[in-house]
Amino acid sequence: MEFKNSKYVEKMCEITNELYKHGWDERNGGNVSLRLTQDEVDQFDDLNKVIRNIPIKFDATPLAGQYYLVTGTGRYFKNVHNYPERDTGLVKITDEGNSVDLLWGFNDGGQPTSEFPAHLMTHIARQKVDSNQRVVMHCHPTNWVALSFTRNLDEKEISKLLWKMQAESLVVFPEGVGIIPYMTPGTNEIGQATADKMNEFRVVMWPHHGIFGCGDSMDEVYGLIETVEKAALIYTTIQSQGGDIKQEITDDDLRDLAKSFGVTPNPKFLSMDKVK
Ligand code: 2HA
Ligand code: ZN
């Protein structure tokens, strides 16, 4: 089978299209990377030649030999599903860790996303805590970005706000959300700050810009971002209804939820010991 017709490319097309349709990836906003295993790559006859080598600007040696299907720099998520072989590429991290070998895609001379350093640094950080780590996803969810203007950039405050917007939140992201300061996109510095947060979280806020999410599968990471953004949308909607809250999910309700669903809330944000 040709790689173009694989379930990996198909999933990349589906997810980038969903992200676009939600309005979270205007123009060339957003980027996605998916790790493939050696066995998965070996199933395809058209992946055994290096098309060209592409330098990268940081040391990715901890990922040497790994394969990533990644969206291209400057590409529009609106278009990926029609032009996957142009707008995405499958790359292998070289042994030296300072470049990638292109095995498929980017067929008009393209390159991986400008946020590739942040993706690869996040893959490095997450693989240390989760050997099944495969996906990093970045996009610009509107209500989530708006929160970074109206609320303090405080991890506990934002995490608890989102947990209390719907019962689903705590179950989906019990560790809460990480937040970095506003930083220039595309730099190694924002990549390192994001990766540092990923030791503890799977979701990181880039204030006034967007979200970084990671996890084991495309559906899981997409679902994580969807859930976070839904909580932020409920917050926006409450404000547009006047913001006057008559009743809410309490800390005790969160503890009951955690017990019932067998999740452990980040102890820095919510103690499971009831203080009376
Ligand atoms: O890929 O979203 O952060 C375009 C961006 C940069
Ligand atoms: Zn962005």
Side-chain angles (χ1 to χ4, degrees), residues 24-26 28-31 114-115 138-140 185-186 206 209-212:
W24 303 339
D25 287 295
E26 67 291 340
N28 63 320
N31 25 79
S114 59
E115 303 295 2
H138 166 66
C139 60
H140 306 159
W206 282 15
H209 181 151
I211 192 167
F212 252 72

Side-chain angles (χ1 to χ4, degrees), residues 149-199:
F149 292 92
T150 59
R151 302 293 303 212
N152 295 319
L153 297 180
D154 179 276
E155 288 170 347
K156 179 174 178 178
E157 189 180 315
I158 301 255
S159 296
K160 288 193 77 176
L161 175 77
L162 297 172
W163 283 348
K164 292 187 173 193
M165 286 299 106
Q166 56 189 358
E168 193 188 8
S169 286
L170 182 76
V171 179
V172 176
F173 49 100
E175 75 273 44
V177 300
I179 306 177
I180 60 167
Y182 176 80
M183 295 171 82
T184 304
T187 59
N188 285 0
E189 288 72 28
I190 200 170
Q192 196 53 58
T194 307
D196 290 347
K197 288 289 175 193
M198 292 296 192
N199 293 316

Side-chain angles (χ1 to χ4, degrees), residues 74-91:
R75 303 312 160 106
Y76 293 24
F77 275 15
K78 174 169 84 66
N79 296 334
V80 173
H81 67 122
N82 283 324
Y83 303 96
E85 205 161 353
R86 182 192 72 184
D87 293 347
T88 74
L90 181 76
V91 298

Side-chain angles (χ1 to χ4, degrees), residues 24-275:
W24 303 339
D25 287 295
E26 67 291 340
R27 201 174 182 276
N28 63 320
N31 25 79
V32 181
S33 62
L34 163 69
R35 179 171 63 83
L36 269 71
T37 65
Q38 184 71 54
D39 283 351
E40 287 164 350
V41 168
D42 286 346
Q43 290 164 12
F44 302 95
D45 300 331
D46 56 340
L47 298 180
N48 47 20
K49 278 199 307 288
V50 177
I51 299 168
R52 62 194 150 91
N53 181 264
I54 305 172
I56 54 175
K57 292 194 199 78
F58 80 102
D59 179 13
T61 40
L63 304 177
Q66 292 191 1
Y67 300 91
Y68 289 92
L69 178 62
V70 59
T71 54
T73 183
R75 303 312 160 106
Y76 293 24
F77 275 15
K78 174 169 84 66
N79 296 334
V80 173
H81 67 122
N82 283 324
Y83 303 96
E85 205 161 353
R86 182 192 72 184
D87 293 347
T88 74
L90 181 76
V91 298
K92 181 179 187 182
I93 315 289
T94 59
D95 289 344
E96 295 73 33
N98 59 358
S99 70
V100 295
D101 286 334
L102 178 66
L103 303 180
W104 177 90
F106 297 144
N107 66 4
D108 65 349
Q111 300 208 13
T113 167
S114 59
E115 303 295 2
F116 207 32
H119 280 245
L120 294 183
M121 290 179 199
T122 295
H123 281 290
I124 292 170
R126 283 310 295 184
Q127 283 176 28
K128 290 185 188 146
V129 274
D130 175 9
S131 58
N132 294 321
Q133 160 62 28
R134 278 200 186 233
V135 175
V136 174
M137 205 174 281
H138 166 66
C139 60
H140 306 159
T142 314
N143 295 280
W144 166 258
V145 174
L147 270 188
S148 71
F149 292 92
T150 59
R151 302 293 303 212
N152 295 319
L153 297 180
D154 179 276
E155 288 170 347
K156 179 174 178 178
E157 189 180 315
I158 301 255
S159 296
K160 288 193 77 176
L161 175 77
L162 297 172
W163 283 348
K164 292 187 173 193
M165 286 299 106
Q166 56 189 358
E168 193 188 8
S169 286
L170 182 76
V171 179
V172 176
F173 49 100
E175 75 273 44
V177 300
I179 306 177
I180 60 167
Y182 176 80
M183 295 171 82
T184 304
T187 59
N188 285 0
E189 288 72 28
I190 200 170
Q192 196 53 58
T194 307
D196 290 347
K197 288 289 175 193
M198 292 296 192
N199 293 316
E200 184 175 0
F201 303 102
R202 288 167 299 145
V203 167
V204 174
M205 176 186 274
W206 282 15
H208 323 319
H209 181 151
I211 192 167
F212 252 72
C214 66
D216 299 357
S217 75
M218 295 283 259
D219 279 345
E220 189 202 315
V221 182
Y222 180 81
L224 178 62
I225 291 174
E226 236 183 344
T227 309
V228 168
E229 171 60 4
K230 180 65 183 280
L233 171 61
I234 295 169
Y235 177 73
T236 303
T237 309
I238 291 170
Q239 302 311 309
S240 72
Q241 290 181 7
D244 187 11
I245 288 176
K246 305 288 187 202
Q247 50 276 319
E248 63 174 343
I249 295 178
T250 64
D251 282 11
D252 277 347
D253 291 334
L254 289 176
R255 282 187 267 271
D256 287 344
L257 199 56
K259 277 191 215 121
S260 176
F261 282 85
V263 297
T264 309
N266 191 325
K268 288 195 288 195
F269 303 160
L270 181 76
S271 159
M272 284 302 278
D273 305 325
K274 205 163 159 179
V275 189

